[in-house]
Amino acid sequence: MTAPVALPGDPPGGRRAAAVWGIGVSVYFVAVIFRTSLGVAGLDAADRFDVNASALSTFSILQLLVYAGMQIPVGLMVDRLGTKKVLALGVVLFTAGQLGFALSPSYEMALASRALLGCGDAMTFISVLRLGSRWFPARRGPLIGQVAALFGMAGNLVSTLLIARMLHGLGWTATFAGSAAAGGVVLVLLLLFLKDHPEGHEPAPAQHSGAAFVRKQIALSWREPGTRLGMWVHFTTQFPAMVFLLLWGMPFLVEAQGLSREGAGSLLTLVVLSNMVVGLVYGQVIARHHAARVPLALGTVAATALLWATTIVYPGDHAPMWLLITLCTVLGACGPASMIGFDFARPANPPQRQGTASGIVNMGGFVASMTTLLAVGVLLDATGDNYRIAFSSVFVLEALGIAQILRLRARTVRRERERLVASRVETVHVPV
């Protein structure tokens, strides 16, 4: 299947679309900075709140739990209220969470602040995807999604490079409270300049009828094989890199591979940089060749599994540096591959269901990440910190995801072809 053609009523795109969408992306950029800021402040947080490693890991797990649990509700909110209102609410929540984290005098209040931050963060990415679909032609969807994810990874880099330095130079309160000011800046820009859609491209008014409407939106979105395939692609591709970056990569590289914290930090940064480069490549490829979606997703899973297995079973005490570098480079492809899931859900659902469908897709990877974070921790405790056994849990979820992708692939492609033929027939009969 070739790249999607322009459809009747497609938004025009252009400079104004880029400017409006750029405001939405800036909100997501700040949200990712706040989301990942704990990753460079773990040791400081342990000292500040006097907690052990298990209590510290609860910050990340709770944040993921809130984020994953909010995906479908946020998708419904975006479909009903529009992008601007949901993004504004998200900014208020994640900024309050970051500020609360800066000022929290106790572990319990800090935990509540991270949950609040996760709730606001959950409202950003789906909103940005919907904003892009309202302002740009459908054929630009894959590239727009990958570029949005690239800016998110840039936010991760800011945390790694800037927040870490601020912590050591300014201290805990000044760093987190000062960074919260970025939330205020993007909120002002959003309220002044962001619009849900260009003039003349208003969505058809939807009939909302409470719980019945909610059930119908979810059921219709789930009924589409493209939505389910997108969720399983996201589930299968995203979680290895997420688990590695969010919690277990640093302990594995330091404790199991004998690296210094500085060396391990450099490898984690390599994952982020690789993600940014691969994202641009994947976006261009999929925009031109829609048939490449499944091969790219499955190829990324296969490469990740191969390098992951080679690293954990490598004979000897430590894997060589070249293998660790290769692993981290390949892990960088996981994020861009997960974005392919949205490219299956987008054409499968009408505009009034885009938010709901995106929420279902986005939930996949975060459920897998949360499950693996817990599984690795439990297995490490049960085996006396045997990373080879604990990290093998990754293959269970990858096998499950691959089976579902293969099951749904043909059905999704068939539905897309039917939809494309119908749209061409409709175009022929449009009166001139």
Side-chain angles (χ1 to χ4, degrees), residues 76 209-223 356:
L76 291 164
S209 53
F213 169 77
V214 170
R215 288 193 297 270
K216 183 178 179 181
Q217 284 286 89
I218 296 174
L220 291 176
S221 297
W222 183 255
R223 191 176 301 168
T356 305

Side-chain angles (χ1 to χ4, degrees), residues 278-314:
V278 174
L280 289 176
V281 175
Y282 277 21
Q284 292 285 357
V285 170
I286 296 170
R288 289 173 169 79
H289 308 286
H290 240 39
R293 292 173 298 174
V294 170
L296 278 178
L298 292 179
T300 301
V301 174
T304 303
L306 176 62
L307 269 299
W308 195 275
T310 303
T311 301
I312 64 176
V313 303
Y314 193 87

Side-chain angles (χ1 to χ4, degrees), residues 68 70-81 126-127 129-130 133-134 206 208 213-223 227-228 231 342 345-346 349-364:
M70 285 292 295
Q71 291 310 294
I72 292 179
V74 167
L76 291 164
M77 288 172 62
V78 170
D79 287 336
R80 181 168 186 173
L81 302 177
I126 293 176
S127 297
L129 288 180
R130 187 178 188 269
S133 69
R134 294 293 194 189
H208 304 295
F213 169 77
V214 170
R215 288 193 297 270
K216 183 178 179 181
Q217 284 286 89
I218 296 174
L220 291 176
S221 297
W222 183 255
R223 191 176 301 168
T227 304
R228 283 176 280 144
M231 186 198 73
F342 297 101
R346 188 183 302 109
N349 292 274
Q352 61 269 24
R353 288 207 310 267
Q354 288 293 323
T356 305
S358 295
I360 293 173
V361 172
N362 207 30
M363 188 173 63

Side-chain angles (χ1 to χ4, degrees), residues 267 270 307 311 320-332:
L267 287 178
L270 175 61
L307 269 299
T311 301
M321 181 57 71
W322 66 264
L323 181 56
L324 296 177
I325 290 174
T326 307
L327 170 66
C328 290
T329 302
V330 171
L331 284 175

Side-chain angles (χ1 to χ4, degrees), residues 24-80:
V25 169
S26 68
V27 173
Y28 177 56
F29 173 76
V30 173
V32 173
I33 293 175
F34 291 2
R35 177 201 305 174
T36 58
S37 58
L38 181 63
V40 297
L43 295 177
D44 301 80
D47 292 337
R48 179 178 177 86
F49 301 114
D50 192 24
V51 295
N52 58 23
S54 298
L56 187 63
S57 68
T58 304
F59 281 125
S60 298
I61 294 173
L62 176 63
Q63 198 169 324
L64 275 184
L65 180 64
V66 172
Y67 189 102
M70 285 292 295
Q71 291 310 294
I72 292 179
V74 167
L76 291 164
M77 288 172 62
V78 170
D79 287 336
R80 181 168 186 173

